[in-house]
Amino acid sequence: MAKDVPNKVRVVITGGGVIGCSIAYHLTKIGWQDVVLVERKQLTCGTTWHAAGLIGQLRDSQNMTKLAKYTAELYHHLEEETGQATGYKVNGSLSIATNEGRFEDLQRRADMARVFELAVDVIGPEACRDHYPLLNIDDVIGGIFIPSDGQANPIDITQALAKGARMGGAQIFEDTNVTRVLHDSERVTGVETTSGTIEADFVVLCCGMWTHGLAATVGVTVPLHACEHFYIVTEPFDGVTPDLPVFRDYDACAYYKEDAGKLLVGAFEPESKPWGMDGIPEDFCFDELPDDFDHFEPILNGAIHRVPALETAGIQKFFCGPESFTPDNRYHLGEAPELRGLFVAAGLNSIGIQSAGGVGKVISEWMRDGHPPVDLASVDVRRNLPFQGNGRYLHDRVTETLGLLYAVHWPFYQYKTSRGIRRSPVHDRLAAKGACFGETAGWERANWFAPEGVEPQYEYSFKRQNWFEYSAAEHTAMRDNVGVLDMTSFAKFRLQGRDAKTVINQVSANDMNVDVGRVVYTQWLNERGGIEADLTVTRLTEDDYMIVTAGTNQVRDFNWLRRHIRDDNSAVLTDVTSSLAVFSVMGPNSRRLLAKLTPADLSNGEFPFGSSREIEIGYAIVRASRISYVGELGWELYVPSEFAAHVFDELFAAGAEFDLAPVGLHAMNSLRIEKAYRHWGHDITDEDTVLEAGLEFAVAWDKPGGFNGRDALIKQRDNGLKKCLVQFLLVDPEPLLYHNEPIYRSGKIVGYVTSGMYGHTLGGAVGLGYVGNSDGVDIDFVENGDYEILVNGEKYAAKASLRPLYDPKSERIKV
């Protein structure tokens, strides 16, 4: 019988896997004892119990690596603290490469680890075998070894976290199912369970593959779907010793773990098997799924090639069980935008054990402080859009994402599944012009255009990919002539009402009390001065503002602004994204082209930079805003969706005499990075301030009423900076920059590249990245250093600049 639950607590955690127990443990560590964890059956019974227990630390960003390192450190002393065995051992991890693309991927990740102070050894085939004597290395070209990685027993780890939580005052109730999440439409108020109702200030959904369905009952989108996960456990055989490291043969989609003299061999196959489309059985508890040896056989054949001794080893256990995966292989953390006080920690993509410590730490601190402790935008639940909760979308996408865990991390990789969801009104016209589409937030966007006779498909590489020269031509067309970018994927909001100016001016660092018809570039800051959003605001009328931001930030930015509208404010916020197409007409000849299509005076005197007004184009009336993200003269045209195809056709009909070029998003990226324009989520985040990012020009320090984050900025301005964003150009024109490459100043690592692209006008790879120094960073520090950037294990000299290397005075956009 389940015990009676308390009537009221501070926090209810739903789900007794390793994530839920870690959150309970960490909440007690910050002094919150009024914590209850409820588990529908028994602790670990869903997915945790059958996890492999691999503890890896090298992730794809600095903060994710820090959290993984914290997890490893936590597990190291957890048994001593609680008295509960964890099975944790530090035996290292070995990953091999059997082709050049994979080896460069591993090498670049090893480069990145230097920034994160994680020791990673790049080694040759013989050294791989030295670490793992069972290996056949005939086709191995190299690998990486991480000495501080390890493995643990998932059930024991979870029980240790649960015991630590109880020791700190938390209560844990098994056989207690949450039947309903309670709320008042604005904020969560508690839960109903099979053992009674619990009022609570916070509710955390960390119930694994059940999270999607439970969240949906209160209108919260948590996109994840279960897949079948396979592994075998062999009989004991010679050579399997306790000191064997965790071993990953990514190219064969397999991992290996020593297990009491036996070998566990698991798979992340390229095409997975979704499970649970008709719902998860109510009595599901420590259950296994039916065997599918035919599905696993290719993995086993590859394993026999890699570890020949497996050919004669007996199989003790063939296992298949469910684990949940997300549409982008990143987990879901944080407060739900739809409901205050409802937190999510789910969708761990088969890395829950190695992530649990860090997840518990950041969720507990987020609840305590009201904001994430570090930049977690890549895993923030606010990145999700409602359509991503669609069951068919999830089913089709996770057939791919499971396998991508072990795929090469190719630059510019595009998902193959669940495509064609959100399309611009001119999608067919772009396709007819040879567009190769990529996908962002469900939008099909033209990334580059293939010339006639060339198939618009990616051929992935870390070197110059097949579209490099085509994108270079688009880049040059926009620099020297005129081009059109379809930017319909922009998110667009309208803030209207008597208090619209008050609301938007308080949220924005720049001054929004401007003349009607002005476009203002601004940031939205948190109270710590960090950048929560980077966008433009156009004043349409006295009490009507249009906000334009990145499509990937549609939910996040809308939620941020909505939550800053007070109950006594007369202001209404509306998402109008779907109502407007956007065409960016940019380049030195953009004025001449548009002048053929409109009677409006587009001269610099009558239509200066930063102006916005309605003009006629063809038979349509569109809003033209003179602004640029590529560093050239141009206008963004906001076109009602039903007129979009007509306006697009008019542009290209009139553009024939100018050789008007369709331009893709890759060229836009190379153009913006030459001009050192920042990109939110890469170059600027909620951990970076406008002072550090070089955006002080967009701050209205003395506007009446101030703005969010002003006090923090003033304090930082008075105390001086410890880091600042710098633009870099590699002297050697051959290597390419993407992101996370270490930056050396006078032989010492001082930062890493936050975004990179080839600068076709500047003639080399261009990157942005923060240069840091604990004693302070100023102009002299930046300009008096000798810089190198590490690319694929080799350092390349770089020129550093605090001003844009292209058109530093911004003369071209204001002619």
Side-chain angles (χ1 to χ4, degrees):
M1 289 287 292
K3 297 180 292 183
D4 290 336
V5 296
N7 295 325
K8 182 174 176 58
V9 295
R10 195 172 194 176
V11 184
V12 173
I13 300 165
T14 66
V18 70
I19 301 300
C21 290
S22 178
I23 293 171
Y25 171 88
H26 282 89
L27 283 171
T28 66
K29 290 298 183 184
I30 63 170
W32 288 21
Q33 296 180 327
D34 203 5
V35 175
V36 162
L37 183 150
V38 292
E39 162 55 46
R40 55 186 291 277
K41 297 293 184 181
Q42 283 80 52
L43 297 184
T44 79
C45 72
T47 294
T48 296
W49 72 275
H50 63 73
L54 314 182
I55 312 299
Q57 300 167 84
L58 183 55
R59 313 304 304 157
D60 61 359
S61 71
Q62 182 179 31
N63 283 335
M64 292 299 102
T65 300
K66 284 181 178 179
L67 296 184
K69 288 176 66 179
Y70 168 80
T71 299
E73 293 162 2
L74 171 67
Y75 293 169
H76 191 70
H77 64 73
L78 191 59
E79 182 172 340
E80 179 182 355
E81 176 189 346
T82 64
Q84 165 69 48
T86 61
Y88 180 63
K89 64 177 180 180
V90 179
N91 51 333
S93 70
L94 171 68
S95 301
I96 62 168
T98 60
N99 60 71
E100 291 297 336
R102 172 73 66 185
F103 195 42
E104 180 158 354
D105 185 13
L106 294 178
Q107 176 110 331
R108 281 178 173 264
R109 293 170 70 78
D111 291 348
M112 179 179 68
R114 295 172 185 249
V115 178
F116 309 152
E117 298 181 347
L118 178 65
V120 179
D121 301 324
V122 178
I123 57 179
E126 294 294 339
C128 291
R129 188 163 56 191
D130 290 343
H131 284 296
Y132 212 95
L134 293 168
L135 292 188
N136 167 21
I137 59 170
D138 287 351
D139 54 347
V140 175
I141 61 175
I144 60 172
F145 181 72
I146 304 178
S148 57
D149 280 353
Q151 63 187 68
N153 183 307
I155 293 178
D156 289 346
I157 285 285
T158 306
Q159 293 293 351
L161 289 166
K163 186 175 180 180
R166 291 189 185 100
M167 290 166 61
Q171 300 179 73
I172 296 177
F173 296 86
E174 297 182 296
D175 296 309
T176 303
N177 191 26
V178 171
T179 57
R180 185 181 172 199
V181 176
L182 305 175
H183 61 92
D184 61 9
S185 79
E186 289 292 329
R187 185 175 184 88
V188 72
T189 58
V191 297
E192 284 184 1
T193 79
T194 50
S195 299
T197 298
I198 310 174
E199 295 182 30
D201 299 322
F202 298 95
V203 173
V204 188
L205 303 184
C206 48
C207 30
M209 54 193 170
W210 287 271
T211 307
H212 170 68
L214 183 57
T217 64
V218 288
V220 172
T221 301
V222 184
L224 54 84
H225 198 295
C227 288
E228 298 181 24
H229 181 56
F230 299 86
Y231 61 73
I232 63 166
V233 180
T234 70
E235 299 283 356
F237 64 94
D238 290 342
V240 181
T241 57
D243 60 342
L244 279 181
V246 171
F247 168 53
R248 296 176 180 87
D249 185 358
Y250 288 119
D251 295 324
C253 311
Y255 63 87
Y256 300 70
K257 168 197 167 186
E258 184 275 334
D259 185 5
K262 299 163 286 188
L263 209 57
L264 183 153
V265 182
F268 290 105
E269 64 278 19
E271 187 170 343
S272 70
K273 295 180 65 178
W275 178 81
M277 287 72 72
D278 299 324
I280 303 169
E282 178 60 30
D283 60 352
F284 194 90
C285 177
F286 295 111
D287 286 297
E288 298 182 30
L289 303 180
D291 294 346
D292 187 345
F293 187 80
D294 289 342
H295 185 78
F296 189 75
E297 186 176 18
I299 304 298
L300 184 56
N301 290 335
I304 292 171
H305 167 74
R306 185 61 56 216
V307 179
L310 284 172
E311 188 169 10
T312 56
I315 295 178
Q316 184 183 89
K317 175 71 174 176
F318 186 100
F319 178 82
C320 178
E323 297 189 2
S324 59
F325 291 82
T326 66
D328 56 8
N329 260 343
R330 303 197 301 264
Y331 30 74
H332 300 311
L333 300 182
E335 188 177 26
E338 301 91 342
L339 204 57
R340 288 181 181 268
L342 183 68
F343 277 74
V344 174
L348 274 293
N349 301 289
S350 206
I351 56 171
I353 306 302
Q354 64 183 280
S355 304
V359 168
K361 184 177 189 295
V362 298
I363 289 292
S364 61
E365 293 175 0
W366 198 331
M367 295 169 69
R368 178 192 65 193
D369 301 334
H371 59 79
V374 294
D375 170 35
L376 295 172
S378 66
V379 294
D380 194 319
V381 72
R382 290 176 293 172
R383 75 185 185 278
N384 298 308
L385 290 140
F387 82 88
Q388 292 176 308
N390 177 288
R392 181 181 167 193
Y393 166 84
L394 288 169
H395 168 276
D396 293 351
R397 174 56 66 84
V398 298
T399 61
E400 179 182 9
T401 55
L402 179 148
L404 290 177
L405 284 177
Y406 275 19
V408 176
H409 297 80
W410 295 119
F412 311 106
Y413 177 81
Q414 303 298 325
Y415 291 106
K416 300 179 179 67
T417 53
S418 298
R419 292 291 300 269
I421 303 167
R422 305 174 82 185
R423 299 185 181 186
S424 160
V426 297
H427 178 88
D428 60 332
R429 286 157 169 79
L430 297 172
K433 293 183 180 297
C436 184
F437 293 98
E439 181 261 328
T440 298
W443 285 103
E444 294 293 320
R445 308 196 304 177
N447 280 348
W448 55 277
F449 289 84
E452 189 174 350
V454 174
E455 192 71 20
Q457 292 184 352
Y458 280 89
E459 296 175 10
Y460 295 115
S461 169
F462 283 96
K463 305 298 190 290
R464 286 161 171 73
Q465 295 187 10
N466 61 311
W467 49 265
F468 184 87
E469 294 300 335
Y470 310 137
S471 186
E474 299 164 27
H475 178 114
T476 301
M478 199 159 261
R479 280 278 182 257
D480 297 342
N481 185 24
V482 61
V484 172
L485 275 158
D486 178 18
M487 297 303 297
T488 299
S489 59
F490 275 150
K492 311 113 188 165
F493 317 137
R494 294 281 287 274
L495 181 67
Q496 299 166 295
R498 183 178 63 250
D499 295 325
K501 180 186 74 174
T502 300
V503 172
I504 196 68
N505 222 13
Q506 184 63 43
V507 170
S508 303
N510 214 334
D511 192 358
M512 298 296 112
N513 188 20
V514 294
D515 293 339
V516 171
R518 294 295 298 174
V519 184
V520 182
Y521 171 59
T522 191
Q523 287 74 44
W524 293 347
L525 310 181
N526 54 45
E527 294 304 320
R528 303 168 312 282
I531 301 171
E532 292 286 346
D534 179 74
L535 39 75
T536 62
V537 179
T538 304
R539 194 172 195 178
L540 304 180
T541 68
E542 289 294 321
D543 58 3
D544 188 353
Y545 289 84
M546 180 173 71
I547 298 99
V548 179
T549 187
T552 52
N553 293 357
Q554 184 172 350
V555 169
R556 180 189 176 102
D557 290 356
F558 186 88
N559 174 254
W560 183 264
L561 183 54
R562 181 173 63 86
R563 290 192 174 187
H564 282 84
I565 301 174
R566 300 195 313 267
D567 290 341
D568 61 346
N569 288 144
S570 177
V572 176
L573 182 64
T574 308
D575 190 323
V576 297
T577 299
S578 298
S579 68
L580 293 169
V582 184
F583 305 134
S584 293
V585 184
M586 301 285 158
N589 279 325
S590 57
R591 180 180 283 122
R592 292 179 59 206
L593 167 59
L594 291 174
K596 292 177 62 67
L597 295 169
T598 180
D601 187 344
L602 303 179
S603 66
N604 198 48
E606 292 299 318
F607 208 134
F609 183 77
S611 300
S612 179
R613 65 191 62 163
E614 291 186 336
I615 66 172
E616 297 177 7
I617 291 186
Y619 298 128
I621 297 177
V622 308
R623 173 161 294 277
S625 296
R626 190 172 164 198
I627 196 165
S628 176
Y629 192 52
V630 299
E632 300 296 339
L633 171 71
W635 282 261
E636 289 178 354
L637 305 179
Y638 292 82
V639 187
S641 295
E642 65 270 31
F643 293 98
H646 166 67
V647 170
F648 187 87
D649 291 344
E650 289 286 309
L651 285 171
F652 275 91
E657 74 173 84
F658 299 99
D659 294 324
L660 176 64
V663 175
L665 273 295
H666 289 338
M668 184 198 75
N669 197 28
S670 60
L671 289 158
R672 72 95 185 168
I673 207 163
E674 284 190 328
K675 192 65 176 68
Y677 287 149
R678 283 64 166 149
H679 183 272
W680 194 90
H682 286 96
D683 311 311
I684 46 179
T685 71
D686 60 6
E687 284 192 88
D688 308 312
T689 71
V690 289
L691 300 180
E692 295 164 340
L695 297 172
E696 186 176 354
F697 68 88
V699 177
W701 292 99
D702 299 322
K703 67 178 179 178
F707 55 87
N708 293 348
R710 181 177 181 272
D711 291 346
L713 288 186
I714 290 175
K715 182 177 180 181
Q716 185 181 61
R717 185 178 63 179
D718 292 343
N719 292 337
L721 303 181
K722 304 297 184 183
K723 67 175 185 178
C724 68
L725 194 66
V726 179
Q727 186 183 32
F728 296 92
L729 172 66
L730 294 187
V731 177
D732 187 330
E734 186 60 27
L736 300 178
L737 297 175
Y738 297 113
H739 65 278
N740 285 336
E741 294 90 352
I743 299 168
Y744 288 79
R745 179 188 180 274
S746 303
K748 178 184 176 182
I749 293 179
V750 292
Y752 60 95
V753 173
T754 52
S755 64
M757 201 74 177
Y758 196 85
H760 300 287
T761 310
L762 296 176
V766 184
L768 296 175
Y770 286 93
V771 169
N773 180 33
S774 58
D775 293 329
V777 172
D778 56 20
I779 293 175
D780 287 340
F781 181 86
V782 172
E783 294 184 346
N784 291 326
D786 294 323
Y787 291 92
E788 296 174 301
I789 297 179
L790 187 66
V791 180
N792 195 27
E794 185 174 350
K795 292 180 182 178
Y796 293 90
K799 178 182 178 181
S801 179
L802 288 169
R803 303 183 72 195
L805 291 170
Y806 179 80
D807 189 23
K809 296 182 180 180
S810 295
E811 295 169 328
R812 294 176 67 87
I813 64 174
K814 296 177 180 178
V815 294

